[in-house]
């Protein structure tokens, strides 16, 4: 079984071939409502097809926001829980799975069960990253926090790799920062950004970056490299949450090369950005093959101590810039699931990871999608990192199981009768299973 949601609705560039298998029952689950706001316990209950745009607007109207608010509006609660969700507050709160307090799941036998850290804790830990292979997720409770009107943003330009890595690590481990990220523009240069939630601002320093006539965020951030000086300003919270939405990080430059030109922004900027599912629905076979052969979209989750090695490896293998760096903590509440902190001699030595996001056209002359990405995957396994599974995954089944701990998952698949009812994760996310 699987849901009947069309493959082109997902945020992955590929569509699962299992959706086209006539032997797989497609179950319609039209659940797209916000169900309950619990202000006493600071949680919100939503159905799986609620989008981040929908939820963010609802919570902002009530004076709240999620602890982790992923960037793109079309991302769904179910997709983020069953898959992967990270944002610039993840150094404090972990991945979006770490902000969940309750799941409601329909099992293979039709039973609807709830699970929390104390009630069916093994199932609660295994649902994240399971891609709907243990049951159908029908509701989720997220932790929320009172929000403020602005973020106070500081831009720190760095002109050597060592400086960039050191500043990024320092700010990521400083939990007084509400948000931390970096954009790396070359092997040596990048801008680290830290931000805190505030209500009181200097009006002369407010920059509403989200308006359609404003420069694309990553282009604006790049200007701080030439100035060479750190700078601070205030950004409306909603604008901050969606700072990468208009340029789809930096992918829009390939689709509309003149999209950041002043004349385009002023005359036509209000038309964008296109929805990812529209781009997928209208994609021809020729364009799909061109993207497959000459384009990379990957998020690799790297232990903080291996960040410099990761930047160098990404440079040597694909040379895609900018790179997005987003810190994320693997909190103890998720240790019994698929992802583990770095352990040496039986002791946890690192919980802070970095999402290294590469989105664009490789500039190396020897890029070959399968071979190159397999080398990147091998590097990530070697440093005890993880791959975001919305992206192309060329690992073998054994390599995939080496990266992700399946111990609890395999036991639960058997005990909950999922083996004959749902595909295994690998059979949904591997490159061979996607078109």
């Amino acid at each position: 079984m699987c849901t009947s949601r069309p493959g082109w609705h997902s945020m992955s560039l590929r569509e699962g071939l299992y959706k086209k298998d006539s032997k797989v029952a497609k179950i319609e689950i039209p659940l797209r409502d916000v169900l309950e706001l619990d202000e006493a316990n600071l949680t919100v209950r939503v159905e799986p097809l609620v989008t981040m745009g929908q939820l963010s607007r609802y919570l902002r109207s009530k004076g709240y926001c999620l602890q982790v608010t992923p960037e793109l509006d079309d991302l769904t609660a179910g997709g983020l829980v069953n898959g992967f969700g990270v944002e610039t507050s993840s150094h404090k709160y972990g991945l979006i799975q770490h902000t969940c307090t309750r799941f409601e799941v329909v099992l293979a036998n039709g039973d609807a069960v709830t699970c929390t850290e104390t009630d069916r804790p093994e199932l609660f830990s295994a649902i994240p990253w399971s891609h709907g292979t243990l049951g159908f997720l029908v509701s989720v409770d997220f932790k929320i926090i009172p929000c403020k009107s602005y973020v106070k943003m500081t831009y720190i330009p760095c002109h050597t790799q060592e400086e960039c890595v050191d500043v990024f690590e320092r700010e990521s481990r400083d939990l007084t920062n509400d948000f931390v990220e970096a954009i790396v523009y070359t092997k040596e240069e990048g801008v680290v950004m830290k931000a805190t939630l505030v209500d009181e601002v200097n009006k002369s320093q407010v920059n509403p970056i989200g308006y359609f006539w404003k420069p694309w965020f990553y282009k604006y951030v790049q200007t701080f490299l030439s100035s060479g000086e750190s700078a601070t300003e205030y950004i409306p919270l909603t604008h901050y949450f969606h700072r990468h939405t208009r340029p789809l990080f930096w992918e829009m430059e390939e689709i509309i090369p003149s999209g950041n030109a002043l004349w385009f922004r002023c005359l036509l900027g209000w038309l964008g950005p296109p929805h990812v599912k529209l781009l997928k629905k209208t994609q021809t076979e020729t364009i799909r093959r061109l993207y497959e052969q000459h384009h990379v979209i990957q998020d690799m989750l790297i232990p903080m101590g291996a960040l410099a090695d990761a930047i160098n490896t990404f440079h040597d293998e694909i040379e895609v810039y900018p790179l997005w760096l987003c810190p994320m903590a693997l909190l103890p509440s998720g240790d019994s699931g698929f992802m583990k902190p770095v352990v040496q001699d039986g002791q946890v030595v690192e919980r802070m990871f970095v999402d290294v996001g590469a989105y664009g056209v490789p500039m190396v002359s020897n890029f070959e999608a399968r071979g190159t990405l397999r080398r990147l995957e091998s590097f990530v396994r070697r440093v005890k990192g993880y791959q975001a599974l919305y992206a192309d995954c060329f690992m073998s089944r054994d390599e995939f199981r080496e990266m992700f701990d399946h111990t609890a998952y395999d036991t639960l698949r058997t005990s909950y009768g999922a083996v004959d009812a749902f595909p295994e994760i690998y059979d949904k996310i591997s490159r061979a299973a996607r078109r």
Side-chain angles (χ1 to χ4, degrees):
M1 293 185 289
C2 68
T3 69
S4 62
R5 188 178 185 224
W8 57 271
H9 275 213
S10 73
M11 294 301 290
S12 169
L13 282 183
R14 312 294 180 204
E15 295 187 35
L17 295 176
Y18 63 91
K19 293 276 188 179
K20 302 180 185 298
D21 188 340
S22 60
K23 297 179 182 179
V24 176
K26 283 76 173 177
I27 310 300
E28 186 172 1
I29 305 180
L31 303 176
R32 46 178 53 88
D33 292 323
V34 178
L35 298 176
E36 179 184 354
L37 176 64
D38 185 344
E39 295 185 81
N41 293 306
L42 289 178
T43 61
V44 62
R45 181 169 299 168
V46 302
E47 294 178 327
L49 293 183
V50 167
T51 67
M52 287 300 102
Q54 173 189 357
L55 182 54
S56 179
R57 288 188 294 271
Y58 169 78
L59 289 176
R60 288 284 286 119
S61 72
K62 305 294 185 181
Y64 298 100
C65 60
L66 294 175
Q67 288 184 338
V68 175
T69 302
E71 170 77 26
L72 301 178
D73 279 359
D74 287 347
L75 294 169
T76 63
L80 290 164
V81 169
N82 280 313
F84 159 73
V86 67
E87 247 307 321
T88 53
S89 59
S90 288
H91 69 296
K92 292 182 69 170
Y93 301 114
L95 296 172
I96 200 166
Q97 70 196 54
H98 297 113
T99 74
C100 299
T101 62
R102 174 187 176 275
F103 301 132
E104 184 180 6
V105 182
V106 175
L107 302 174
N109 64 1
D111 289 347
V113 301
T114 60
C115 53
T116 67
E117 286 188 343
T118 56
D119 180 18
R120 298 179 188 261
E122 72 291 337
L123 182 60
F124 181 76
S125 296
I127 289 296
W129 292 74
S130 67
H131 288 260
T133 60
L134 292 171
F136 291 118
L137 183 69
V138 292
S139 75
V140 54
D141 289 17
F142 291 114
K143 296 177 185 176
I144 58 175
I145 55 175
C147 65
K148 298 184 179 180
S149 299
Y150 296 89
V151 299
K152 181 182 180 181
M153 174 83 100
T154 299
Y155 305 87
I156 309 171
C158 302
H159 295 282
T160 67
Q161 185 184 107
E162 182 180 7
E163 179 190 15
C164 189
V165 169
D166 287 349
V167 172
F168 180 78
E169 180 172 1
R170 181 190 73 211
E171 301 301 340
S172 298
R173 296 189 189 279
D174 183 354
L175 299 187
T176 64
N177 293 321
D178 291 315
F179 308 101
V180 179
E181 69 181 313
I183 300 178
V184 176
Y185 292 93
T186 70
K187 186 179 178 181
E188 296 296 331
E189 292 190 312
V191 179
V192 177
M193 289 157 278
K194 62 177 181 177
T196 54
L197 290 162
V198 297
D199 277 324
E200 296 183 2
V201 301
N202 182 337
K203 293 294 184 182
S204 66
Q205 292 182 283
V206 173
N207 182 7
I209 59 175
Y211 290 134
F212 66 80
W213 61 82
K214 286 284 191 172
W216 287 345
F217 183 67
Y218 77 98
K219 290 290 192 183
Y220 171 66
V221 172
Q222 192 172 16
T223 64
F224 292 99
L225 282 175
S226 56
S227 73
E229 299 290 335
S230 297
T232 298
E233 64 184 8
Y234 299 91
I235 299 173
L237 181 60
T238 300
H239 290 230
Y240 176 80
F241 279 155
H242 302 289
R243 65 204 176 283
H244 293 299
T245 296
R246 288 190 298 121
L248 296 177
F249 283 84
W250 25 91
E251 291 279 58
M252 282 301 294
E253 189 169 14
E254 295 176 19
I255 300 170
I256 307 175
S258 58
N260 192 50
L262 179 61
W263 68 267
F264 187 95
R265 286 187 272 117
C266 291
L267 293 177
L268 299 171
W270 57 275
L271 289 172
H275 288 279
V276 173
K277 58 187 176 184
L278 175 63
L279 295 176
K280 289 176 65 176
K281 183 64 174 177
T282 57
Q283 188 179 72
T284 65
E285 181 64 19
T286 299
I287 292 175
R288 186 189 68 79
R289 289 182 178 177
L290 284 172
Y291 265 84
E292 179 179 317
Q293 296 167 4
H294 305 290
H295 193 267
V296 167
I297 294 184
Q298 289 285 337
D299 284 88
M300 299 295 192
L301 316 180
I302 308 294
M304 181 66 80
L307 177 55
D309 286 344
I311 293 173
N312 291 331
T313 301
F314 273 62
H315 178 85
D316 294 341
E317 293 289 356
I318 56 177
E319 198 176 342
V320 169
Y321 292 103
L323 294 175
W324 186 53
L325 306 184
C326 182
M328 40 161 281
L330 292 186
L331 300 181
S333 60
D335 282 357
S336 57
F338 287 100
M339 302 173 69
K340 312 292 186 185
V342 180
V343 176
Q344 291 181 359
D345 300 325
Q347 300 294 318
V348 174
V349 296
E350 183 62 273
R351 288 192 177 275
M352 189 65 72
F353 282 60
V354 184
D355 178 358
V356 181
Y359 325 116
V361 177
M363 300 306 293
V364 295
S365 59
N366 62 339
F367 176 78
E368 188 273 317
R370 180 180 178 82
T372 299
L373 293 177
R374 277 190 55 77
R375 289 194 296 274
L376 278 181
E377 291 167 347
S378 177
F379 165 77
V380 174
R381 290 197 306 277
R382 178 167 58 82
V383 298
K384 307 301 182 185
Y386 301 93
Q387 180 181 31
L389 300 181
Y390 76 89
D392 284 346
C393 173
F394 289 95
M395 287 183 283
S396 68
R397 192 181 299 272
D398 288 343
E399 290 167 339
F400 181 71
R401 283 177 165 264
E402 177 189 343
M403 179 178 285
F404 293 96
D405 186 345
H406 282 56
T407 305
Y409 172 77
D410 289 340
T411 300
L412 290 168
R413 289 261 298 168
T414 300
S415 62
Y416 284 110
V419 174
D420 296 324
F422 301 103
E424 191 175 315
I425 300 174
Y426 183 80
D427 296 320
K428 296 185 75 171
I429 61 84
S430 71
R431 185 63 186 86
R434 288 172 170 169
R435 171 186 169 280

